[in-house]
Amino acid sequence: MTKNQFIHQMEIELKKLPDAERQDVLQDYREYFDIAVQEGKKEEAVSSALGTPRQLAKELLAQYHMEQAEGSATAVNMLRAVFAVISLGFFNLIFVLAGVIVFTAIILAGWVAGAAFVLSPLLVIVGAVINPVTFEMFAMFFSLGVCGLGLLILLGMRAVTKFAAKSLIRYLKFNMTIVKGGGADE
């Protein structure tokens, strides 16, 4: 594959990157080719040493989305990073996606439980309105205690969610180094 073919293919594969980022990456590869040719290497040898533009683009997109998730750990950025890392290989589909699903389910369960506890006094009030004969003050005070516990759970879930987001980013980075063939010394 010649330099122009390689750059053209990279441009197609990197269409999801913002234009400025894409142009920077393409310029880096153009310079890399130019330097290698000046050193006497053939363009075809340089392109084969670099690997396929598709795999390089996947790695660059995963790295870009990881940086976005680190900068702003929103749900959208995190999902983009997860799916970009998953696209690097079949291994990632099994190990990354399974872990993300499990942790997301645990975190979601904590948020739902906290919200349900906070809303428990409303259920007691609705029950008293529907059937006033069965209303007991104990139920109201108990639900207020459960509401307080729910507030504590929600505060704890906020911290757990932040920690989980940071841990997920670290895990995705670790996974990227494994897929790229990096070792412990990197």
Side-chain angles (χ1 to χ4, degrees):
M1 183 179 300
T2 66
K3 170 186 166 183
N4 290 337
Q5 291 170 330
F6 187 90
I7 297 297
H8 178 71
Q9 188 65 36
M10 282 292 286
E11 190 166 12
I12 292 169
E13 297 293 337
L14 293 174
K15 66 183 174 230
K16 293 181 182 176
L17 274 182
D19 192 47
E21 290 277 334
R22 184 175 53 246
Q23 293 307 320
D24 284 346
V25 169
L26 294 174
Q27 184 59 37
D28 289 345
Y29 280 103
R30 284 184 190 103
E31 290 174 6
Y32 185 80
F33 269 96
D34 292 342
I35 291 170
V37 168
Q38 287 174 356
E39 292 175 353
K41 296 178 184 170
K42 295 188 184 266
E43 288 182 356
E44 291 79 9
V46 174
S47 67
S48 67
L50 285 172
T52 66
R54 170 171 274 159
Q55 189 62 30
L56 286 171
K58 284 181 182 181
E59 291 173 8
L60 290 167
L61 284 168
Q63 186 175 350
Y64 172 76
H65 288 301
M66 288 296 299
E67 291 169 2
Q68 294 292 84
E70 278 182 299
S72 174
T74 64
V76 172
N77 285 343
M78 297 297 284
L79 281 174
R80 284 181 182 154
V82 166
F83 286 117
V85 172
I86 287 172
S87 75
L88 292 177
F90 181 72
F91 168 84
N92 291 357
L93 178 64
I94 295 168
F95 288 101
V96 172
L97 191 58
V100 168
I101 289 172
V102 168
F103 283 119
T104 302
I106 291 169
I107 289 171
L108 186 61
W111 280 103
V112 169
F117 283 16
V118 168
L119 296 175
S120 65
L122 291 176
L123 295 175
V124 173
I125 292 170
V126 169
V129 170
I130 293 174
N131 193 0
V133 176
T134 61
F135 178 74
E136 294 181 18
M137 288 301 281
F138 173 75
M140 187 63 188
F141 286 116
F142 183 77
S143 69
L144 288 173
V146 170
C147 178
L149 180 60
L151 290 172
L152 291 174
I153 290 172
L154 290 177
L155 286 172
M157 286 310 299
R158 184 173 178 223
V160 167
T161 303
K162 285 182 179 181
F163 175 75
K166 289 179 183 177
S167 297
L168 177 62
I169 290 171
R170 281 196 310 266
Y171 175 69
L172 291 175
K173 281 183 171 181
F174 168 74
N175 190 278
M176 281 176 53
T177 59
I178 296 296
V179 169
K180 287 181 181 180
D185 57 343
E186 286 187 18

